[in-house]
Amino acid sequence: MEGLNRLLELRGVCRSFAGKDVLRELDLSLEEGQCVAIMGRSGCGKTTLLDLMGGLDRPDRGEIFFRGSLLRPGQLRRYRRDHVGFLFQDSGLIPEFTALQNVAAGVRICKSGADPMEHLALVGLADRAGAYPSQLSGGQGHRVALARALAKKPTLLLLDEPTEGLDRQTGQEILDLTLKICRERGITAVVVTHRVEHALQMDRQLLLQDGALTEGAVL
Amino acid sequence: MRLGLLLFRGLIRRHLLRAVLIGLCAMFCFTGALGVSWAGESLVSTRQDLEDSWGEADLVVYTQHQTPGDLEEAFLGIEGVDAVSEGMLAEPIRCRFQDGQVRSVRLFALLDHQLIRPVVQGDGELALSYGYKVDAGVDGSLVLALPQGETVSVRATAAMPMYTGVYVDRAIVSTDGDMVDIYAPVERVTEIVGECYVNYALVRLDGSVPVEQVRDRIAGSEDVFVSYVAEREPAYEASLALEDVICRICALFPWIMLGVGLLFVSIFLAGAAGQCRGSIGVLRTDGAPLGAIYLGICLFALVSTLAGACLAVPAAWALAKTILEISLENMGLPGGTLVLSWPWLIRCLGGCLGACVVATGVGMLTVSGGRVARIRRRRGGRVRGRCAAVVATAVSTGAAVCMSLMSMMFMDSLDAVRQEQFSDRYGFHVQVVYEDLVPLSRLQELREGDMVQRCEPMLFGTMSLSAGDREWEVSCVALSDDPLLILRDEAGQPLPVVEDGICLSADTAARLGVGTGDLIRARIRYGSTQIRVMCSVTGVSAQSTAFLEAVSLETVEAYLDSSGVMNSVAVTVRPGCLEDFRAYVQTLPGVLAVQTGEAGQRRFDCGFSGTRVLVTTVILASIALGTSVCLMMCYAQWKRELRRDTVEHLLGRSAWWLAFRSALWRLPGVALGLAAGSFAALELMPGMLRYLSTDTIAYPRVADPGTLLTGGGLCLLAEGLCFGMYLLADLRQWRRPRG
C-alpha cells in the first residue's frame, strides 16, 4: 500500500562530471502530493539532482523508479511530457512565442486538453496573453512559466530556484501561488532554494551535501 | 504538426531579419545560377535558330568571274554535291563615309537563297554586315558616297554565317574595321558595279562522297577556274569562337554561384537555428517531439529559401537578357530571345530543391546540436570557437583569393592576347592593303611627304599546308628579312624568316604533327596566283591567336611569275603624322584598306568587352562573396568574444589591446587562406585556360607577380575593412559609459 503512494524513487544514484563525484549513492523517495525543499551550497549538485528527477539527465549508476516502474533511457521524453513540469530560475520561456502561445505549446506537447487562457488567468496574467517574454517583467515571466508548467497537468513539478532574481515579495507570491495550486491538485513539488523561509513552507526539507542528502537539515 | 507551425511562425517573427537575409542569399545565388545558365541555354538556342533560319552550306568556293549559272552547272555534275547557290562578291569600291573617312566597301549578293538566307533587319535594299555594325559601333543609318557620286543610306543590317568575311579577312589580314561588307539584292549590286557576274558558290554535300574528294574535284574543275575551296566548319567555328567561350563560362559559373549561395544560406540558417537553441531546449525539456521542432526549423529554411528563389526569377530574367544581348553583340549575331528548355527547367528545379534540402539539412544539424544543449554542458567552447573562426577565415579568404586571382589571371591572359596582336606582333602603326598584287616600286609613293619612318612590304595570302596525309588551311604572310611583323617563340624571341623556311604557329604545327626542321608542302595563293613550294619548318611560334604562318619573301618571289610584288605594306610613321598619312594613303589608287593599330585594337576590345565584363563581374563578386562569407562565419564567434572581452575591459584591460587581440586571432586564418587560395589559383589556372581556349585563341598562362599581389591585396583590403567594422563595433561597445 505504501508503494502505491510513492511517486518517485532514486536508488543508489551516482553522477559525476569531469571526474568529480557530484552525487554519490544517493537514495530518495518522494510521496504523491508531497512538497519537498532541497537546499545546499552552490555547486553541490542540486540542479543535477533535479535534472535526474526530471528525466533531463541519466545517472552514471543507480536507478530511478516512477510509480514503481524503472525509468529507462528510451522512456524519458514521454516521462517528461506526461508527468513532469519544470520551472527554472530564468523562467525558461520561448522568446519566439507570446505568453499565451508559451502556455499553449505546453498543452499541445502533452495533449493535456487544458485551457491555456484559463491557466494564464490562474496566475493573474490573462490581460498579458499577447505579450512576448521580452515585454514581461521578471515576475510576470515566472508566472507565465508556472502557468505553462501547470497547464501540462503534471504529477511532479520541479522548481529550480524559482524566486531567484525576484524581489522578496514577488518571490513569495509566486511560491505561495505554486504551493497552493500543487496542494489543491495533489501535485508533488520539488523546490530547490537557498531561502530557509521558503524551505520551511514545504512538507519536507532536504540538505544536499557532499553528494548525499540529509533529511530535515537546513543551512 | 501544430507545434511545428507555431514554432515556424515564432521563428519568422523573431528572426525576420535572418529570414530576409536567407531569402536574399537564395535570391542572389539563384539569380546568378539561373540567369547565367539561362543566358547560356538561350545562346545555344539562338545559335541553333540562326542555323535553322539562315541555313548552312558545307563548302565555299571562290572562282574567277563567271556568268550566272556557270558555277551551278559545273559543280552540280560533281558526285557528292547536293545543291549549289551562286553568289556575287563585288570588287571592293572606295566610298567616303559620313565621318569623312574613305573605306573599302564590299558588296555581295546571293543569286538565290536555296542554301543561305541572310537575316535582314531594318528597311532598305542595302544591309550593313551585322558584325561591322557592332564592331564599328554604328548607330542608326550609315550614309556613304559611292565612287560615281551617288549617296546611299544603309538602314538595315544583315547577318549570315561569315563564309565570305572570314576567308577574305584571312587573306588580307588586319583590314578589320576598314572593310565594310554590305549585302544587297543582286540587281542593286549589278547596278552599282555596272556588271553582273558570279564569283563564289556555296555548296551542300549529300554525304555520299568524302568531303576531301569533293573538294579536290571542285578545285580541279575544268569548266571554271577555282581559286579557293574551304570547308564550312573552320569558318563557322572561328566566327562563333567567342560564343563558345561565353557558353563555357555560362556552364561553369552557375555551379560556383550555387555553391557560394548555399554556403551563405547555411550560415544564416545555422545562425538562426543556433540563436533559438534555448527555445529548442525548453521545448525538448517539456517533451516536445523532435519532428515538430525539425518541422518548424525546416519550414523556416524552406520558406525563406523558396521566397528568395521566387524573387530570383525576375532578376534572373533581367540578368540573362543582359548577358544574352552583350554576348550576341560581341559575337556579331542578331536577335536572341530567352528560351525555356526542359533540361534547363529541370536543372533549375533540381538546384532549387537541392538548395532547400541543404538548407533544411543544416537547420536539422543545428537543431540536433541544440536539443541536448541543456542536458550536456558545453566545454572547451572558447578554444574550439577560435579554431573554427580561424578555419572559417581561412576557407572564405582562400575561396575569395582563388576566385579573384583566377579571374585576374584570365584578364591578364586576355591582355596578353591583345598585346601580342597589337604590340608584340605588329611593330608598325599602319597597314596599307592593296586590292591586288602591286609592284614594290609603289613603296616610294608612301615615302613621299616625309611622314614615313619605315615601310616594309608584305604579301598576305592563304595556303594549304600538308605533311604526310594531314592537310590544313591557314593564312600566311611573306615577310622581308627584317620584318615589322614579328612572330615569337615561347621564350619571346623573334623567329627567323629565311629563304625556303616557314614559321608555323603552334596550333598548325600540332595539327600537322610537325616540328622545327621538318619538311612540309605548301600551296600558297595570292588572289588568282598560286604557287607550290617545299619548306622546312624554321620555328614554331607561341602566338595565342594561332592562325598566321610566315614565309620568306625571297621564297615566294622565287616561285612567282613576276617577282617584286606585294599586296600589303607595314608602315611606321613619324610622331603626329598618323592622320595625315592615313588621309594621304586613302587618295592613292588601288588601295583597299588603311588599317591603323588603334582601329584594330578598338575592334578587338569591342569583341572582347562582354568577356571582360563577365570576368570583372566575377572578380568583384568573388571578393564581395568571400569577404561576406568570412564576415558571417566570424559573426557568431565575434559575439561570443565580445561578451568575454567586455568583461575583461570592465576589469581594466585596454580596449585597444582587446581589439588588437581580436584581430590577431584572425591573422593565421587570413594567412592560411591567402596561401591556399594563391596555390589553388595557380594550379587550377592552366586547366581553366585550356577549357576556355578555342581553335583560334589559345589563352596563354600569365603569372604576373603584380596580379598575384593585387588580387591578394584586394581581398585582404576587403576583409580588413570587414574586420575593421568588427573592431569599431568592439571599441564602441567597450567604451560605452556604464552607470
Side-chain angles (χ1 to χ4, degrees):
Chain A
M1 191 68 189
E2 187 186 332
L4 287 176
N5 290 331
R6 187 164 296 164
L7 183 74
L8 194 72
E9 186 174 5
L10 283 72
R11 290 184 196 161
V13 167
C14 297
R15 187 73 174 98
S16 58
F17 292 107
K20 185 190 174 192
D21 292 332
V22 178
L23 302 176
R24 294 178 195 157
E25 300 291 337
L26 186 139
D27 294 318
L28 172 67
S29 66
L30 300 175
E31 306 302 321
E32 299 238 18
Q34 200 175 42
C35 294
V36 181
I38 298 176
M39 303 183 73
R41 290 181 183 278
S42 295
C44 70
K46 300 188 293 296
T47 302
T48 304
L49 178 59
L50 220 57
D51 284 352
L52 289 169
M53 285 195 278
L56 288 172
D57 198 359
R58 291 192 292 272
D60 297 331
R61 283 201 311 278
E63 292 166 327
I64 300 174
F65 294 88
F66 180 75
R67 285 180 171 155
S69 303
L70 179 65
L71 277 181
R72 298 181 191 284
Q75 301 169 328
L76 292 180
R77 190 182 73 80
R78 185 177 294 175
Y79 164 68
R80 290 199 305 270
R81 186 189 68 190
D82 296 341
H83 301 290
V84 188
F86 294 93
L87 186 58
F88 303 111
Q89 58 190 21
D90 60 352
S91 82
L93 293 179
I94 299 167
E96 286 85 1
F97 294 173
T98 61
L100 185 64
Q101 285 171 339
N102 262 286
V103 181
V107 173
R108 280 179 190 163
I109 288 168
C110 67
K111 298 184 177 68
S112 66
D115 180 1
M117 200 62 195
E118 187 185 305
H119 279 80
L120 270 183
L122 187 68
V123 297
L125 286 176
D127 58 332
R128 302 288 287 152
Y132 285 95
S134 57
Q135 298 165 325
L136 297 172
S137 68
Q140 286 174 329
H142 277 74
R143 282 167 189 267
V144 175
L146 178 63
R148 191 183 66 194
L150 294 173
K152 288 178 70 183
K153 294 184 179 172
T155 48
L156 176 64
L157 185 61
L158 302 172
L159 302 96
D160 190 358
E161 301 183 38
T163 60
E164 190 70 25
L166 301 177
D167 63 79
R168 186 172 289 272
Q169 188 184 345
T170 309
Q172 190 61 54
E173 282 173 9
I174 286 174
L175 189 67
D176 290 345
L177 181 64
T178 308
L179 291 177
K180 177 174 168 276
I181 296 169
C182 285
R183 282 176 176 140
E184 281 174 5
R185 297 185 180 183
I187 299 170
T188 303
V190 179
V191 182
V192 167
T193 182
H194 288 293
R195 297 188 185 175
V196 177
E197 67 271 25
H198 289 171
L200 291 173
Q201 284 182 264
M202 309 293 160
D203 304 327
R204 193 176 161 195
Q205 293 80 30
L206 300 169
L207 176 68
L208 184 60
Q209 201 168 24
D210 298 329
L213 284 169
T214 311
E215 192 82 31
V218 290
L219 287 169
Chain B
M1 179 76 178
R2 290 178 68 188
L3 184 66
L5 291 174
L6 192 66
L7 182 60
F8 162 67
R9 278 171 52 196
L11 284 170
I12 287 286
R13 192 201 70 80
R14 184 150 186 261
H15 303 288
L16 186 61
L17 181 63
R18 281 185 188 272
V20 170
L21 286 173
I22 290 171
L24 284 176
C25 288
M27 180 184 161
F28 181 71
C29 89
F30 278 115
T31 299
L34 301 188
V36 176
S37 60
W38 198 352
E41 289 277 334
S42 300
L43 277 172
V44 173
S45 171
T46 302
R47 180 171 169 171
Q48 186 61 47
D49 284 351
L50 284 173
E51 282 180 3
D52 293 344
S53 63
W54 65 26
E56 58 185 47
D58 297 303
L59 295 175
V60 58
V61 185
Y62 288 90
T63 68
Q64 285 187 325
H65 294 190
Q66 301 287 330
T67 308
D70 282 0
L71 300 184
E72 194 173 341
E73 189 182 335
F75 300 148
L76 274 178
I78 294 172
E79 191 183 357
V81 173
D82 178 45
V84 176
S85 272
E86 291 177 325
M88 179 182 180
L89 181 65
E91 298 301 329
I93 51 176
R94 299 290 281 171
C95 301
R96 184 168 295 281
F97 282 60
Q98 61 210 27
D99 62 359
Q101 295 291 335
V102 177
R103 296 186 179 89
S104 292
V105 171
R106 194 168 48 182
L107 294 161
F108 67 97
L110 288 167
L111 267 65
D112 63 73
H113 295 121
Q114 189 183 352
L115 297 181
I116 296 294
R117 174 179 294 279
V119 177
V120 178
Q121 296 173 325
D123 305 323
E125 287 182 312
L126 304 180
L128 181 65
S129 152
Y130 189 85
Y132 182 81
K133 176 182 185 295
V134 173
D135 290 345
V138 176
D139 197 14
S141 63
L142 194 70
V143 180
L144 49 100
L146 298 176
Q148 57 265 45
E150 184 189 356
T151 300
V152 294
S153 178
V154 184
R155 294 190 300 273
T157 55
M160 61 179 283
M162 295 164 68
Y163 297 101
T164 55
V166 167
Y167 278 91
V168 174
D169 280 354
R170 286 176 72 170
I172 42 176
V173 172
S174 280
T175 58
D176 302 336
D178 203 50
M179 173 81 80
V180 182
D181 285 340
I182 289 179
Y183 177 78
V186 68
E187 297 80 13
R188 185 73 172 113
V189 177
T190 305
E191 186 187 327
I192 293 172
V193 301
E195 56 179 327
C196 181
Y197 56 86
V198 291
N199 60 351
Y200 78 88
L202 299 166
V203 177
R204 186 171 68 204
L205 308 182
D206 60 15
S208 61
V209 179
V211 63
E212 294 81 13
Q213 287 186 24
V214 181
R215 273 185 64 173
D216 289 343
R217 284 172 191 172
I218 289 176
S221 178
E222 293 176 356
D223 299 329
V224 292
F225 184 84
V226 174
S227 56
Y228 184 44
V229 187
E231 287 178 44
R232 174 191 66 87
E233 193 177 8
Y236 201 75
E237 289 304 314
S239 67
L240 294 174
L242 187 58
E243 183 193 0
D244 288 340
V245 172
I246 293 174
C247 284
R248 285 171 198 184
I249 291 173
C250 287
L252 192 68
F253 193 67
W255 295 106
I256 298 171
M257 290 297 292
L258 210 59
V260 173
L262 281 179
L263 190 63
F264 261 89
V265 169
S266 304
I267 290 165
F268 284 122
L269 187 64
Q275 270 205 346
C276 63
R277 275 185 172 189
S279 307
I280 294 166
V282 172
L283 287 169
R284 291 295 291 163
T285 302
D286 276 348
L290 205 53
I293 297 170
Y294 280 157
L295 181 67
I297 298 282
C298 293
L299 274 177
F300 179 74
L302 209 63
V303 169
S304 309
T305 310
L306 277 178
C310 290
L311 286 173
V313 173
W317 175 83
L319 180 68
K321 197 162 174 56
T322 308
I323 292 175
L324 186 66
E325 282 172 1
I326 290 175
S327 305
L328 288 174
E329 271 193 14
N330 282 331
M331 287 181 267
L333 296 177
T337 50
L338 292 174
V339 292
L340 284 173
S341 66
W342 281 112
W344 179 78
L345 277 174
I346 290 169
R347 280 206 302 274
C348 288
L349 288 175
C352 188
L353 199 67
C356 291
V357 167
V358 170
T360 307
V362 170
M364 288 174 78
L365 280 174
T366 316
V367 173
S368 302
R371 70 194 167 97
V372 291
R374 180 171 164 72
I375 298 172
R376 290 179 191 159
R377 270 64 174 172
R378 300 175 70 184
R379 290 184 180 81
R382 184 170 164 181
V383 173
R384 196 173 53 194
R386 281 183 168 172
C387 288
V390 169
V391 172
T393 309
V395 169
S396 51
T397 309
V401 169
C402 181
M403 282 181 73
S404 55
L405 276 186
M406 284 180 74
S407 309
M408 293 178 84
M409 283 158 77
F410 179 62
M411 193 76 97
D412 279 353
S413 188
L414 266 179
D415 288 340
V417 173
R418 181 173 177 268
Q419 187 182 354
E420 176 193 301
Q421 281 275 56
F422 300 102
S423 300
D424 292 352
R425 183 190 286 182
Y426 301 138
F428 48 84
H429 301 128
V430 183
Q431 184 186 0
V432 181
V433 183
Y434 293 95
E435 290 172 2
D436 207 343
L437 300 177
V438 295
L440 293 177
S441 57
R442 288 200 61 178
L443 290 171
Q444 190 53 42
E445 66 186 8
L446 297 177
R447 293 193 179 106
E448 284 177 16
D450 202 27
M451 289 181 282
V452 172
Q453 274 183 336
R454 187 180 162 196
C455 57
E456 292 292 335
M458 295 192 292
L459 200 50
F460 279 96
T462 57
M463 68 179 168
S464 297
L465 292 172
S466 52
D469 58 348
R470 299 183 186 182
E471 191 171 350
W472 185 238
E473 287 279 343
V474 290
S475 296
C476 74
V477 58
L479 302 169
S480 58
D481 292 341
D482 182 20
L484 287 168
L485 192 157
I486 302 160
L487 299 183
R488 297 175 189 276
D489 62 12
E490 276 189 359
Q493 296 302 313
L495 288 172
V497 182
V498 297
E499 195 168 355
D500 291 331
I502 184 167
C503 297
L504 294 182
S505 65
D507 181 62
T508 304
R511 285 178 189 275
L512 295 173
V514 295
T516 305
D518 291 339
L519 277 176
I520 57 172
R521 290 183 300 278
R523 192 174 58 183
I524 310 173
R525 289 174 295 274
Y526 303 103
S528 57
T529 307
Q530 184 167 299
I531 59 172
R532 293 169 190 272
V533 292
M534 285 292 289
C535 302
S536 69
V537 179
T538 54
V540 176
S541 76
Q543 309 294 128
S544 300
T545 45
F547 48 77
L548 188 67
E549 328 298 322
V551 293
S552 158
L553 205 56
E554 285 83 0
T555 306
V556 176
E557 285 177 343
Y559 291 88
L560 283 174
D561 293 338
S562 55
S563 61
V565 291
M566 61 183 180
N567 60 3
S568 176
V569 183
V571 183
T572 53
V573 295
R574 296 191 190 286
C577 297
L578 184 61
E579 283 309 311
D580 291 342
F581 179 74
R582 187 178 175 181
Y584 164 68
V585 174
Q586 281 172 350
T587 62
L588 298 177
V591 171
L592 178 69
V594 185
Q595 174 68 27
T596 60
E598 285 97 2
Q601 199 160 321
R602 197 165 51 244
R603 182 184 157 96
F604 181 88
D605 289 345
C606 187
F608 278 81
S609 63
T611 313
R612 283 173 165 275
V613 168
L614 277 179
V615 174
T616 310
T617 308
V618 171
I619 293 171
L620 295 176
S622 57
I623 292 173
L625 286 178
T627 48
S628 307
V629 170
C630 189
L631 206 66
M632 297 319 300
M633 289 175 101
C634 294
Y635 182 72
Q637 172 64 15
W638 171 75
K639 291 284 278 184
R640 278 197 291 274
E641 282 184 0
L642 182 64
R643 282 197 288 271
R644 191 198 61 239
D645 291 349
T646 304
V647 172
E648 283 192 37
H649 180 58
L650 287 173
L651 292 173
R653 182 81 80 173
S654 154
W656 284 106
W657 159 249
L658 291 170
F660 173 71
R661 191 181 66 182
S662 186
L664 200 65
W665 258 108
R666 290 172 175 95
L667 276 183
V670 171
L672 201 64
L674 193 61
S678 306
F679 178 75
L682 288 170
E683 286 298 307
L684 290 172
M685 204 55 209
M688 173 66 80
L689 292 175
R690 270 199 303 276
Y691 177 73
L692 293 173
S693 292
T694 61
D695 282 350
T696 50
I697 296 178
Y699 288 106
R701 185 185 176 192
V702 184
D704 180 15
T707 300
L708 294 176
L709 288 174
T710 309
L714 278 176
C715 290
L716 288 181
L717 184 68
E719 290 194 357
L721 286 174
C722 294
F723 288 135
M725 284 163 51
Y726 278 145
L727 295 181
L728 282 177
D730 282 355
L731 289 170
R732 199 177 58 179
Q733 175 79 13
W734 298 329
R735 289 180 163 177
R736 188 180 295 166
R738 295 167 198 282

